[in-house]
Amino acid sequence: MPEAKPTADSISKAATHLDDFWREGHDDWQEVDEFLDGTYDVWQLDDGKKDPKAINRRQFRPPTAYSRATNAASQMLGFIPKIHRDPVGDRATTKTETSQIENFGAAVWELATMEEAALAIATVSWYEIVYGYGILELSMNIGEKPQKPDRRSRDFDGDMERFEDEMVGWNPFRIMAPHPSTVLMPWDDKVPSMAIKVGEWTSDALRELTEKRMGRKGKSKPLEVHLWEVGDTPLKAVKCLEYWSLEWHAMATEGGEMLFVERNWWGFVPYTQGFAGLGHMV
């Protein structure tokens, strides 16, 4: 049965449901962060209150938790992801085609991870160690693809040379490792059929995001888009919910204002999740 077009209300309800499910785990992660960041209260009593006898007592917080987690994450950096695809069909060219796809996937992975300020594989390893859970996100930006020059251009040969140079290193794919608390998904699907990213976007970014969608045509044209008004504070942070399902991609503000609704022409949800496999789940 086809999924109904999402609304700001349906997205908010889905986010609330998933947030309630993950709440206990997120609270545990906050406690873990206090030990990793060295902000925990050394003299806290079992009931969570501060020992009245230790109000003016100095606190020494050894970096044991951070050191051990960092050491474990560093050991995992020796792991090199391997791209594998099972052969499809039994044609004479099947093995060659499979190898080409694997090589392409490996090249995309390497280029995409180099685009990030922090290596995705290192970041997700850290989350797996300290939280027992990690997420990888795939993003694709076709809009920044270099444009082939017009033959009527004055310097067509020079423009064409620059275009070919830009195409050599162009890669629309990005691979990121968002903090596990910012993406809500059903816990039992490694390859989820639904996800909601919770975050903050600046007013300026929302304006650009909605403006670009208003100019789209063809299958990527949104079914619904509302141009965001920046106002006098372009850098103001706006809390938003970005919804993904196998059929839809939509975004709304936490206050209930719909930004856009479009078909998910990718055909998949761009997140994958996994537990560390240390004998327990979050």
Side-chain angles (χ1 to χ4, degrees), residues 86-134:
D86 291 324
V88 178
D90 55 359
R91 301 185 306 277
T93 58
T94 295
K95 287 186 177 180
T96 301
E97 292 170 352
T98 299
S99 295
Q100 290 174 340
I101 293 173
E102 289 176 345
N103 292 336
F104 170 77
V108 166
W109 172 273
E110 184 175 350
L111 287 171
T113 53
M114 292 301 290
E115 290 290 331
E116 300 306 312
L119 289 174
I121 192 65
T123 305
V124 78
S125 296
W126 170 265
Y127 292 146
E128 291 272 4
I129 289 167
V130 299
Y131 302 139
Y133 174 73

Side-chain angles (χ1 to χ4, degrees), residues 172-227:
F173 301 102
R174 301 284 293 271
I175 298 174
M176 298 161 282
H179 192 281
S181 66
T182 63
V183 182
L184 304 172
M185 295 180 281
W187 69 272
D188 55 347
D189 289 332
K190 184 175 183 179
V191 181
S193 58
M194 187 266 279
I196 298 176
K197 186 173 186 177
V198 183
E200 293 184 344
W201 282 258
T202 64
S203 279
D204 209 23
L206 293 180
R207 171 74 179 200
E208 182 181 357
L209 185 148
T210 53
E211 200 169 44
K212 283 184 176 180
R213 279 172 166 75
M214 292 192 81
R216 286 183 179 177
K217 299 178 181 179
K219 68 177 182 179
S220 63
K221 182 179 180 180
L223 272 71
E224 179 183 339
V225 59
H226 303 279
L227 189 63

Side-chain angles (χ1 to χ4, degrees), residues 8-20 184 194 196 243:
D9 184 58
S10 68
I11 293 173
S12 177
K13 287 180 178 178
T16 299
H17 170 74
L18 290 171
D19 185 63
D20 289 343
L184 304 172
M194 187 266 279
I196 298 176
Y243 175 85

Side-chain angles (χ1 to χ4, degrees), residues 146-165:
Q147 298 299 308
K148 196 171 184 177
D150 192 326
R151 286 189 173 275
R152 294 170 293 183
S153 171
R154 284 186 179 180
D155 186 20
F156 174 74
D157 291 338
D159 291 342
M160 192 65 186
E161 186 176 344
R162 283 188 291 273
F163 165 74
E164 292 173 346
D165 289 343

